């Protein structure tokens, strides 16, 4: 039997999953990744811990599956995006901890870019808003704050990469300094229409081109993992950032196909085909995973800052439940939220609102309100925020003359909550489809690796492998759904009021 090994390097853990050619999971191993908080608003990882934990889980997954590396056709990598690593080319040693995507230390540099009138130019090239979220200003900070780093970079002695590049460098023992288009698209340095680094932006941010990785299609030959690591050399044939990998693993290959990942936050992506389109509704434009050179593929992306985290707040803050899994049973003890609206703007509101100063609110409380009503309102807030995202995507699609969304494919930890998924379908007015394999991020990396290694003929074959475990059909009238969304938007305005 032919197997594929997916390395899934996330923010809180490193995981490895062994899939067979039909996309079935045979083994999974995971290690927690320690978080480092040097100052308020700063978040770091130890790059060596990233590498060592990822290698350890790969070995463990192969052992659990009871297979040898020679039975693995190819390896795929998916990773936390935007997190920035800088290392010495000669020794492979990092100069500093990795600066994680959540880190806000580069906000002053972003403010200077906005004040300098550069935002529109940057968005036209990269599809991104100017924000400390992305890699460019994190890398700029490293070059400016590590003694001697900029001079070493200009001499070509250093290498920069997102986590995929760092893992590939180590797997290949420094033979390959590469990345894929979906990760490059999250640096705020990459021209996504021309599929190349933007020289003007590199000059603007004083980034020496010599430190950048080579950019390849997401399904291509990225190098060989050295035989010392897993017992035999393995080809690395698929790479994509986690959200684009999930879009691929959900078999969203055509324009208008959409997925939502329900994790701590929510990440929604809509495939928009080969046409670059800037959002008029507060979304980002990003590169989708690409299976061939010279064929750019794009997606609209929106992020909800607080998704499943609102359930953690019910557990840890309100002590309403002792385990997150209990929230559905508590919420189901009431038929609805009783008019209660909870806007979980604990850290501001993300797309499509972009209100960093918003704060959480609970409205509509009466003498009859119980903790069950608040729990239900908390769950429903995840669906409301996701609906606002999809409606923004629908408006962008309509403006571009694209096909409307006809279904939403879902994954992530909270997608197992049937009550939430049903309410999501009711608000959207389209079916919500939960796949049989909910590990879609790792599956996307495995499928890309299989394509890159020639195991699959093309995306049509992969689309035939994707299967729904359950379909949630809308039961609410369109009028009532619209009224519910109007009530939500009213609650949002209250949360954002000065």
């Amino acid at each position: 039997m032919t197997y594929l090994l997916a390395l899934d390097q996330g923010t809180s853990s490193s995981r490895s999953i062994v899939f067979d050619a039909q996309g079935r999971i045979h083994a999974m191993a995971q290690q927690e990744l320690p978080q480092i908080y040097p100052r308020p608003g700063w978040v770091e990882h130890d790059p060596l811990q990233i590498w060592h934990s990822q290698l350890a889980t790969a070995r463990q997954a192969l052992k659990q599956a009871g297979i040898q590396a020679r039975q693995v056709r190819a390896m795929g990598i998916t990773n936390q995006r935007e997190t920035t690593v800088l290392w010495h080319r000669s020794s492979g040693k990092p100069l500093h901890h990795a600066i994680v995507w959540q880190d806000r230390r580069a906000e002053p540099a972003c403010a200077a870019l906005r004040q300098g009138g550069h935002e529109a130019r940057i968005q036209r090239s990269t599809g991104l808003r100017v924000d400390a979220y992305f890699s460019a200003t994190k890398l700029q900070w490293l070059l400016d704050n590590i003694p001697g780093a900029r001079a070493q970079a200009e001499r070509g002695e250093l290498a920069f990469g997102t986590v995929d590049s760092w893992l590939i460098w180590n797997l290949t023992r420094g033979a390959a300094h590469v990345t894929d288009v979906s990760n490059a698209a999250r640096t705020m340095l990459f021209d996504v229409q021309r599929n190349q680094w933007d020289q003007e932006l590199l000059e603007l941010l004083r980034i020496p081109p010599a430190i950048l990785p080579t950019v390849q299609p997401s399904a291509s030959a990225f190098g060989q993992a050295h035989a010392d690591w897993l017992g035999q050399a393995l080809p690395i044939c698929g790479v994509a950032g986690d959200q684009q990998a999930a879009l691929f693993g959900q078999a969203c290959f055509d324009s208008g196909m959409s997925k939502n990942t329900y994790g701590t936050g929510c990440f929604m992506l809509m495939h928009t085909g080969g046409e670059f389109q800037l959002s008029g509704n507060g979304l980002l434009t990003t590169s989708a995973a690409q299976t061939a050179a010279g064929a750019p593929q794009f997606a609209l992306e929106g992020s909800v800052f607080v998704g499943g985290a609102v359930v953690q707040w019910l557990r840890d803050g309100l002590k309403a439940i002792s385990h997150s899994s209990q929230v559905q049973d508590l919420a189901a003890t009431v038929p609805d939220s009783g008019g209660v609206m909870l806007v979980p703007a604990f850290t501001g509101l993300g797309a499509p609102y972009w209100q960093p100063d918003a704060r959480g609110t609970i409205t509509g409380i009466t003498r009859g309100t119980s903790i069950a009503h608040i729990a239900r309102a908390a769950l429903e807030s995840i669906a409301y925020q996701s609906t606002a995202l999809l409606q923004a995507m629908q408006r962008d699609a309509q403006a571009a003359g694209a096909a409307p969304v006809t279904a939403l494919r879902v994954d992530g930890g909270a997608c197992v909550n049937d009550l939430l998924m049903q309410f999501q379908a009711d608000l959207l007015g389209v079916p919500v489809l939960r796949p049989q394999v909910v590990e879609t991020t790792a599956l996307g990396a495995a499928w890309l690796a299989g394509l890159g290694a020639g195991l699959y003929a093309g995306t049509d074959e992969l689309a035939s492998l994707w299967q729904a475990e359950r379909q949630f059909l809308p039961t609410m009238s369109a009028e009532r759904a619209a009224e519910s969304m109007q009530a939500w938007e009213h609650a949002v305005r209250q949360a954002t009021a000065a």
Side-chain angles (χ1 to χ4, degrees), residues 30-206:
Q30 181 167 336
Q31 280 192 16
E32 189 173 337
L33 184 67
Q35 310 297 299
I36 302 167
Y37 304 104
R39 298 186 194 176
W42 292 27
V43 189
E44 297 177 354
H45 289 158
D46 181 343
L48 294 175
Q49 283 185 325
I50 290 175
W51 159 235
H52 292 145
S53 63
Q54 192 62 74
L55 177 60
T57 63
R59 289 169 169 166
Q60 189 179 350
L62 290 177
K63 185 177 180 180
Q64 285 182 8
I67 63 171
Q68 304 293 319
R70 57 184 169 76
Q71 294 171 267
V72 176
R73 180 70 171 267
M75 178 189 297
I77 296 173
T78 183
N79 54 285
Q80 53 167 314
R81 304 175 302 172
E82 300 94 20
T83 295
T84 301
V85 189
L86 188 65
W87 67 93
H88 291 280
R89 286 184 181 274
S90 57
S91 67
K93 292 183 179 178
L95 275 77
H96 191 275
H97 282 154
I99 302 181
V100 177
W101 58 273
Q102 299 155 314
D103 189 285
R104 302 303 297 174
R105 77 187 68 183
E107 177 50 35
C110 293
L113 288 170
R114 291 189 289 264
Q115 290 162 9
H118 299 294
E119 183 156 34
R121 159 74 177 84
I122 290 172
Q123 191 173 21
R124 282 196 304 274
S125 173
T126 67
L128 308 175
R129 302 167 69 97
V130 173
D131 197 273
Y133 178 24
F134 305 110
S135 310
T137 50
K138 299 183 196 305
L139 175 57
Q140 187 183 45
W141 187 93
L142 289 169
L143 293 174
D144 288 340
N145 287 274
I146 299 172
R150 188 169 290 283
Q152 292 178 75
E154 288 170 351
R155 292 195 298 267
E157 297 170 5
L158 304 183
F160 149 75
T162 43
V163 168
D164 59 307
S165 296
W166 169 243
L167 290 176
I168 294 168
W169 175 276
N170 283 283
L171 285 164
T172 63
R173 289 195 180 276
H177 184 209
V178 292
T179 189
D180 92 299
V181 290
S182 72
N183 278 294
R186 309 300 294 186
T187 62
M188 211 172 76
L189 295 169
F190 190 68
D191 185 328
V192 294
Q193 296 185 73
R194 294 186 296 164
N195 265 359
Q196 62 188 43
W197 298 113
D198 189 313
Q199 297 303 317
E200 288 184 17
L201 291 186
L202 295 176
E203 291 173 14
L204 175 65
L205 291 161
R206 298 175 57 229

Side-chain angles (χ1 to χ4, degrees), residues 201-218:
L201 291 186
L202 295 176
E203 291 173 14
L204 175 65
L205 291 161
R206 298 175 57 229
I207 306 294
I211 70 173
L212 300 173
T214 300
V215 184
Q216 300 181 190
S218 309

